[in-house]
Amino acid sequence: MLHFNRCPHLKQIAQKCFPSIHVRTDKHVQLFLSRTLALAEFRKSWHSTHSLVGDKNIILMGPPGAGKTTVGRIIGQKLGCCVIDVDDDILEKTWNMSVSEKLQDVGNEQFLEEEGKAVLNFSTSGSVISLTGSNPMHDASMWHLKKNGIIVYLDVPLIDIVSRLKLMKIDRIVGQDAGTSMKDLLKFRRQYYKKWYDTRVFCESGASPEEVADKVLSAVKRYQDVDSETFVSTRHIWPKDERKVSTKFFSEAVIEGLASDGGLFVPEKEFPKLNCREWKSLVGATYIERAQILLEKCIHPADVPAARLGEMIETAYGENFACSRIAPVRHLSGNQFILELFHGPTGSFKDLSLQLMPHLFAHCIPPSCNYMILVATSGDTGSAVLNGFSRINKNDKQRIAVATFFPENGVSDFQKAQIIGSQKENGWAVGVKSDFDFCQTAVKGIFRDSDFAGFLIMEYGTVLSSANSINWGRLLPQVVYHASAYLDLVSQGFISFGSPVDVCIPTGNFGNILAAVYAKMMGIPIRKFICASNQNHVLTDFIKTGHYDLRERKLAQTFSPAIDILKASNLERHLHLMADKNGKLMTKLFNQLEEQHHFQIEKMLVEKLQQDFVADWCSEGECLAAIHSTYSTSGYILDPHTAVAKVVADRMQDKTCPVIVSSTAHYSKFAPAIMQALKIKEINHTSSSQLYLLSSYNALPPPHEALLERTKQQEKMEYQVCAADVNVMKNHVEKLIQNQFV
């Protein structure tokens, strides 16, 4: 029996693409996931090559003093179109009195209503409209304007607005009552600006009106050009006729996870870059504000509207993080700083992306179809994925489910309990009797099995996808915390903007360190990327020699299980970047890795890699010694992964500039190793007593409350265990789909 009642359009596509069960699904998946139909009307509506405006309006929105009127006039002159200032051309002509007189006459509440009515009675096309600062507070009039215009938010730093209003001798604006400061009211109004904008122009301190006008025109052009930001597979071979390139949009890359040819999705064009003044204007911003600015530049509004993206970011980095700064930087000693990435609900750096990625995924998928997310985890990813997807809304939970595969005996006892305990109504944990590399290879193999994917779509109306860092939607948010860490060092006065830093990152799958590379591409001055390995030091060896060799190499279980990895998936993305997007070379190298278990890159690429990267590894004894010595000298407890990074940073960093060490997990997750390092006796306590014993030490960082709560969970949850066999794993996937969606 076929189950297409939830996705009737799947049936039509499947009938065309799957005449029998044993057909390849590539064409179907491309059709099914394409946003072409969804954007057809959008393209038709906005496309205008002759004029940037066409029959639509460019609507400038922002607080008083943002420069809307001045910028509007410059844009009108450049485009040769009509310019309308709402204050001068609509309100004052309608009321036959000045705006200030009207406000004084009727008061705040009545003013907003009458202002809104005046705008509702107004209509134009092909014009530049400069709104008042209070227009966005009237819903009906904004909907009226939005129907026929692109709303551009001039986002000016608050300190600049206050200064400008003082110079203009404006001491009261609409909505300001006695006792309310100008600064507080402007902060309050931001929620309305964020609600309505289609695209944002970040007006950094010192930007001239002409520069802002050019930015507006660029933003509008980008907004209109819905096909401009696309993704290709790392294994894509460029045809002679570049117009025939098979590309994906952001939404498609997020939904599909892995490219059909086995490669990973990467942007076709370069990363967007912020100028020095733009970065400086973000120094005083919150983590959420930084994330909104940076991710808006990387995600086209046709995929995720800017206002909706902002809502997702605010939800992702809210009360679920124990620290309001989300990813704070702490000075450890000398020139070393710790980037604390463990304040999320599951206590690891994975939360920084996996609290956001599920919302992106739910937004991008078609509204009436089912998705099964398959995840391979070396420890931290599993609980972070399950937690993240448990926070999507109720309707989305009914169509998105998660299966997490973890090495049954390859994670810490606490990590295992955390993964199993994170199972919810739409997420399950499956232990595999093998190591992480097998789990990851098996999951990739399932994705590449187009017959199996086609069967699941036909039989259950369910599509497979991924939430590992092979998924672009998972990797991209990690760029933010590397940029934010640098800005925090500037904010705290340790460096001035433009001074270089090194970053040292415990590395297994290469995603975290690759995100730092992308932060550098956006304009953060990172000098060296220090790759820190444990005893599974295949990456260190590769960076030193250019030879990626898995022959005769067995995975060792260490105190730092999240980097107990031999096949670093995201390395392919970086090699693709270094090799000038040579998909043919990537196909050759990674096919050779699968078949012969090694590959060698040419000398020129090795030299290019070593310009930015250095690497070394840390033994188990050195890891424990680093935990002990750091606690003894500073009262700070490192988790084993961070200890690996500190050992390597001490050895490799030349002390001529600051080094930011990524602390990827809270030490509570590895209590037995910490107790061994600190020489605490009676290690054979329960996880709960171990955590409470460590918390009694009053060390830094403070205990992780969410992890302590996890240990109180009395009920032992059931979970499934399977053999190290891809076919057995497929059977588990099918049964989970049957239970969830049928």
Side-chain angles (χ1 to χ4, degrees):
M1 180 178 176
L2 299 180
H3 303 279
F4 284 108
N5 54 317
R6 295 197 188 196
C7 293
H9 69 282
L10 270 181
K11 184 174 182 180
Q12 297 171 1
I13 297 171
Q15 284 172 343
K16 292 178 184 177
C17 301
F18 301 104
S20 73
I21 201 68
H22 299 292
V23 296
R24 296 192 62 80
T25 67
D26 297 6
K27 287 184 180 177
H28 160 74
V29 172
Q30 288 169 13
L31 282 168
F32 172 55
L33 298 175
S34 175
R35 67 177 185 173
T36 302
L37 291 175
L39 291 176
E41 289 305 311
F42 185 92
R43 288 193 182 96
K44 213 181 291 180
S45 168
W46 290 105
H47 185 65
S48 173
T49 54
H50 175 67
S51 165
L52 197 61
V53 179
D55 62 346
K56 299 291 178 179
N57 300 310
I58 294 177
I59 302 167
L60 302 181
M61 176 184 71
K68 301 181 294 293
T69 301
T70 305
V71 170
R73 286 174 183 152
I74 295 169
I75 294 171
Q77 198 170 24
K78 284 176 179 280
L79 298 180
C81 64
C82 180
V83 179
I84 297 163
D85 183 86
V86 171
D87 265 339
D88 296 342
D89 300 321
I90 300 175
L91 300 183
E92 295 193 356
K93 287 182 179 177
T94 301
W95 295 334
N96 290 317
M97 65 171 72
S98 71
V99 170
S100 58
E101 288 172 335
K102 185 72 172 180
L103 177 60
Q104 198 170 5
D105 188 35
V106 301
N108 288 319
E109 205 168 311
Q110 185 62 28
F111 179 90
L112 287 173
E113 192 57 36
E114 293 198 25
E115 179 185 56
K117 282 181 181 176
V119 172
L120 280 168
N121 290 325
F122 163 77
S123 173
T124 189
S125 63
S127 301
V128 179
I129 303 174
S130 300
L131 300 183
T132 72
S134 54
N135 279 146
M137 299 170 76
H138 190 272
D139 281 10
S141 61
M142 289 304 292
W143 281 119
H144 171 68
L145 290 167
K146 200 173 176 73
K147 284 177 189 173
N148 196 41
I150 306 172
I151 299 180
V152 182
Y153 173 27
L154 302 188
D155 188 2
V156 181
L158 191 60
I159 190 168
D160 289 356
I161 291 293
V162 173
S163 299
R164 290 178 191 179
L165 292 178
K166 279 183 181 176
L167 286 172
M168 295 160 70
K169 297 183 179 178
I170 296 175
D171 55 7
R172 183 178 175 228
I173 59 175
V174 179
Q176 189 174 1
D177 298 313
T180 304
S181 72
M182 180 78 76
K183 193 172 181 180
D184 287 342
L185 181 58
L186 290 168
K187 280 183 180 177
F188 171 76
R189 279 197 184 178
R190 276 181 179 251
Q191 64 183 301
Y192 295 100
Y193 303 140
K194 288 179 179 179
K195 178 179 178 179
W196 295 111
Y197 73 97
D198 294 309
T199 184
R200 180 204 312 245
V201 167
F202 186 43
C203 308
E204 73 276 12
S205 296
S208 68
E210 289 76 15
E211 288 174 315
V212 174
D214 286 340
K215 281 189 169 191
V216 170
L217 294 174
S218 295
V220 170
K221 184 178 180 183
R222 179 195 180 215
Y223 184 81
Q224 289 178 305
D225 192 355
V226 295
D227 295 334
S228 63
E229 294 171 25
T230 50
F231 291 76
V232 294
S233 167
T234 48
R235 301 186 190 183
H236 177 78
I237 298 171
W238 295 87
K240 291 179 181 177
D241 183 356
E242 293 195 8
R243 290 173 296 178
K244 295 179 181 177
V245 171
S246 173
T247 58
K248 302 285 182 180
F249 299 109
F250 173 85
S251 48
E252 293 172 312
V254 169
I255 294 170
E256 294 181 37
L258 190 70
S260 58
D261 58 11
L264 307 183
F265 289 117
V266 289
E268 188 179 359
K269 295 179 180 177
E270 294 295 322
F271 253 80
K273 192 164 185 174
L274 279 71
N275 64 43
C276 183
R277 286 189 314 203
E278 288 175 321
W279 281 118
K280 285 181 177 178
S281 292
L282 287 176
V283 168
T286 65
Y287 189 90
I288 287 175
E289 289 166 343
R290 291 168 181 171
Q292 288 172 337
I293 294 289
L294 297 180
L295 294 180
E296 279 176 25
K297 289 181 176 292
C298 298
I299 301 173
H300 196 283
D303 288 294
V304 185
R308 178 72 188 104
L309 177 61
E311 291 170 3
M312 293 180 194
I313 290 168
E314 288 178 359
T315 301
Y317 306 120
E319 294 178 1
N320 44 339
F321 277 77
C323 176
S324 61
R325 289 164 58 201
I326 311 301
V329 177
R330 188 188 295 269
H331 183 220
L332 186 62
S333 62
N335 71 326
Q336 289 188 352
F337 297 83
I338 296 288
L339 171 55
E340 295 183 345
L341 299 173
F342 48 69
H343 293 289
T346 70
S348 90
F349 79 103
K350 309 293 174 73
D351 290 325
L352 273 296
S353 54
L354 283 165
Q355 289 298 300
L356 176 59
M357 186 261 186
H359 298 288
L360 292 170
F361 187 89
H363 176 86
C364 289
I365 64 175
S368 57
C369 302
N370 304 325
Y371 282 80
M372 172 60 81
I373 309 290
L374 303 185
V375 177
T377 178
S378 56
D380 293 327
T381 298
S383 53
V385 170
L386 291 168
N387 184 287
F389 277 94
S390 75
R391 294 173 184 269
I392 56 179
N393 67 47
K394 187 177 179 181
N395 288 337
D396 289 332
K397 283 181 189 177
Q398 292 174 355
R399 62 201 186 106
I400 303 172
V402 181
T404 296
F405 294 95
F406 67 94
E408 171 69 7
N409 298 310
V411 296
S412 75
D413 290 342
F414 184 87
Q415 284 177 311
K416 185 173 180 179
Q418 190 180 29
I419 293 168
I420 295 165
S422 296
Q423 296 178 106
K424 301 290 182 182
E425 69 268 30
N426 67 329
W428 304 276
V430 181
V432 181
K433 294 178 180 177
S434 188
D435 56 30
F436 170 74
D437 281 324
F438 173 82
C439 294
Q440 179 168 251
T441 301
V443 167
K444 280 185 173 181
I446 292 172
F447 285 135
R448 285 198 295 264
D449 187 340
S450 54
D451 290 341
F452 182 62
F455 165 72
L456 294 179
I457 293 170
M458 286 190 66
E459 188 65 19
Y460 306 111
T462 300
V463 181
L464 297 179
S465 190
S466 166
N468 278 97
S469 59
I470 59 175
N471 190 308
W472 185 255
R474 159 76 190 282
L475 180 62
L476 180 61
Q478 295 179 249
V479 177
V480 177
Y481 60 70
H482 288 297
S484 185
Y486 182 87
L487 295 172
D488 280 349
L489 286 190
V490 177
S491 174
Q492 294 166 28
F494 288 106
I495 57 173
S496 57
F497 190 88
S499 301
V501 297
D502 292 340
V503 295
C504 184
I505 300 170
T507 304
N509 218 14
F510 210 79
N512 197 352
I513 202 164
L514 180 61
V517 172
Y518 292 150
K520 180 175 182 176
M521 291 171 70
M522 293 190 78
I524 294 295
I526 298 172
R527 184 184 65 163
K528 288 287 184 184
F529 304 94
I530 305 172
C531 174
S533 305
N534 60 18
Q535 288 182 218
N536 299 293
H537 46 82
V538 62
L539 277 171
T540 290
D541 295 346
F542 173 70
I543 290 167
K544 288 182 175 182
T545 67
H547 191 199
Y548 202 99
D549 193 359
L550 300 182
R551 297 170 301 179
E552 308 301 322
R553 196 188 288 265
K554 289 185 178 179
L555 190 75
Q557 291 190 6
T558 71
F559 293 127
S560 46
I563 55 173
D564 286 347
I565 296 170
L566 294 179
K567 290 183 179 178
S569 289
N570 278 291
L571 178 63
E572 183 171 343
R573 281 187 167 116
H574 189 61
L575 290 180
H576 181 262
L577 183 66
M578 286 201 315
D580 299 322
K581 303 181 180 179
N582 188 336
K584 189 175 182 179
L585 177 61
M586 295 306 105
T587 303
K588 176 188 171 185
L589 293 178
F590 287 92
N591 282 345
Q592 188 179 335
L593 184 64
E594 285 298 312
E595 295 162 9
Q596 301 175 30
H597 309 295
H598 78 109
F599 66 74
Q600 173 77 50
I601 60 173
E602 60 187 41
K603 185 181 178 183
M604 183 185 70
L605 283 180
V606 177
E607 291 171 351
K608 200 170 180 181
L609 178 67
Q610 292 173 351
Q611 284 175 8
D612 293 321
F613 278 78
V614 294
D616 211 338
W617 65 280
C618 166
S619 70
E620 294 289 84
E622 289 171 323
C623 171
L624 296 181
I627 294 170
H628 185 272
S629 64
T630 302
Y631 176 69
S632 298
T633 57
S634 64
Y636 193 94
I637 300 179
L638 306 173
D639 95 288
H641 304 80
T642 314
V644 167
K646 175 156 175 38
V647 169
V648 173
D650 287 342
R651 193 183 297 153
M652 303 298 291
Q653 215 267 340
D654 63 13
K655 310 285 190 295
T656 59
C657 73
V659 58
I660 301 172
V661 177
S662 286
S663 183
T664 54
H666 195 277
Y667 62 82
S668 299
K669 302 184 82 163
F670 308 96
I674 302 303
M675 294 176 77
Q676 186 177 336
L678 299 184
K679 299 179 169 47
I680 300 171
K681 294 181 180 178
E682 301 178 16
I683 289 178
N684 293 324
H685 286 179
T686 63
S687 292
S688 177
S689 61
Q690 287 174 351
L691 259 65
Y692 278 99
L693 180 58
L694 286 175
S695 66
S696 70
Y697 273 58
N698 294 320
L700 291 172
H704 194 293
E705 293 300 327
L707 299 184
L708 289 173
E709 285 298 314
R710 171 65 64 196
T711 64
K712 295 177 185 176
Q713 190 174 307
Q714 298 296 318
E715 181 186 354
K716 263 203 164 184
M717 296 186 73
E718 293 183 0
Y719 73 105
Q720 299 177 40
V721 180
C722 75
D725 185 309
V726 177
N727 290 323
V728 174
M729 291 170 68
K730 286 180 187 175
N731 288 337
H732 275 277
V733 170
E734 185 179 358
K735 285 176 185 174
L736 293 173
I737 288 171
Q738 289 171 345
N739 292 338
Q740 180 72 4
F741 299 130
V742 178

